[in-house]
Amino acid sequence: PGTLNGTSHDITELALMRREEAARQAAQDAYRALQQSQTALKKTLAALAHDVRTPIASLKLGLDRMNDSPEAQNTLGPALRSEVEYLDALFANLISLVRIDADAPTSTNQEVDLAVIVERTQTRYLFLADDKKATIELALPGEQTLVYADVVSLEQAIGNLTHNALKYARKHVALILFVEGDKAIVQVRDDGPGFLGPETEQVTQRYFRGQLKPTYSRNGMGLGLTIAADVVARLDGALTIGNHPDGGGLVELRLPL
């Protein structure tokens, strides 16, 4: 009996030590996660402070000039609209980023007509295209293209792809929707310089900014394609980024029907 009691005591101590070690490991993991979160937050806030200051200054200066000279409205209007669109996209992407980090559902998925979302995206960016003296061409199938998705998130994803194409395009952007087998495919093409080969694997990484400079607007925080890729992944879809054989960028979004 004495031997049994001693063995039982040893096993109890061993179990307690393992629990304590597991608790210490969990505490260390939580501390490291907190540090990483704080570092990421500081980086985001620093980038935000930098990226917001310039467009706000431009808006203030432009509005002052428009008050001093009403004739300047025609020339300053496009520039100010560009700054407003930049800020709108910036904050929309930051909100989505917070939701991604919190692993929170953005909304309720439902059956939606992808053609309606693509057409609405074209309408949203027509003013910016006009300011740049560019066009956004649209090609849609002759019937509904129903997918199961969250309307707001999917429209933001396609909007980010369109906005990115418009920033680098010379004169033309195309939104093309078609069906292939059991997949709905949205292609976003532009006639710009395209994606640099080594960067195609990096452009969906958070905060990544490529070497090429936009022909219109300014570089963002490097979140637009990150958000688009996350939205598509949550819908069991796929996002392919590359260049068209005839030149220019080509981004393809595939969703299950």
Side-chain angles (χ1 to χ4, degrees):
T3 302
L4 288 175
N5 288 337
T7 303
S8 176
H9 179 71
D10 292 343
I11 293 175
T12 301
E13 282 190 347
L14 182 59
L16 180 60
M17 290 173 60
R18 287 176 175 172
R19 285 198 296 269
E20 290 176 347
E21 178 61 28
R24 279 194 297 270
Q25 186 63 48
Q28 290 174 357
D29 291 344
Y31 179 70
R32 280 195 294 268
L34 179 61
Q35 283 187 314
Q36 292 173 355
S37 177
Q38 289 177 338
T39 300
L41 178 60
K42 289 178 181 178
K43 184 176 181 179
T44 299
L45 291 176
L48 178 62
H50 175 270
D51 287 356
V52 167
R53 188 180 297 115
T54 301
I56 288 180
S58 297
L59 286 169
K60 290 171 63 178
L61 181 61
L63 290 173
D64 287 342
R65 288 182 178 176
M66 290 177 71
N67 287 332
D68 296 337
S69 174
E71 294 79 12
Q73 292 184 13
N74 291 334
T75 55
L76 288 175
L80 296 184
R81 277 195 294 270
S82 173
E83 299 291 21
V84 170
E85 180 62 36
Y86 169 81
L87 289 172
D88 179 65
L90 177 64
F91 284 107
N93 285 330
L94 281 172
I95 291 171
S96 293
L97 187 65
V98 171
R99 288 172 174 163
I100 291 171
D101 288 341
D103 198 25
T106 54
S107 187
T108 304
N109 289 348
Q110 57 184 310
E111 193 174 60
V112 297
D113 187 355
L114 190 52
V116 172
I117 294 179
V118 173
E119 187 171 17
R120 194 159 57 214
T121 301
Q122 181 211 30
T123 302
R124 282 178 54 209
Y125 286 97
L126 279 178
F127 276 121
L128 291 181
D130 288 343
D131 288 341
K132 187 181 176 177
K133 295 180 172 55
T135 61
I136 303 179
E137 300 173 6
L138 190 65
L140 301 175
E143 55 188 10
Q144 285 187 321
T145 308
L146 300 178
V147 297
Y148 196 69
D150 169 53
V151 176
V152 175
S153 297
L154 184 54
E155 188 165 340
Q156 182 185 5
I158 296 175
N160 285 352
L161 300 180
T162 304
H163 194 196
N164 189 75
L166 190 58
K167 286 193 297 184
Y168 291 93
R170 295 185 176 90
K171 291 294 181 183
H172 302 287
V173 171
L175 302 181
I176 305 164
L177 170 63
F178 59 95
V179 174
E180 187 177 88
D182 61 349
K183 297 290 190 296
I185 301 173
V186 178
Q187 290 183 342
V188 181
R189 287 185 56 186
D190 66 72
D191 64 347
F195 295 93
L196 296 179
E199 295 182 354
T200 55
E201 300 297 324
Q202 300 173 277
V203 291
T204 58
Q205 295 177 7
R206 190 177 298 190
Y207 304 121
F208 178 81
R209 303 187 193 195
Q211 297 180 31
L212 298 176
K213 301 301 180 184
T215 58
Y216 180 75
S217 185
R218 62 181 76 252
N219 265 331
M221 286 182 65
L223 294 177
L225 296 181
T226 303
I227 301 299
D230 181 81
V231 169
V232 173
R234 287 171 182 259
L235 297 175
D236 296 324
L239 189 68
T240 305
I241 295 174
N243 297 317
H244 193 273
D246 295 333
L250 172 62
V251 180
E252 187 173 275
L253 183 158
R254 288 175 171 260
L255 293 176
L257 292 169

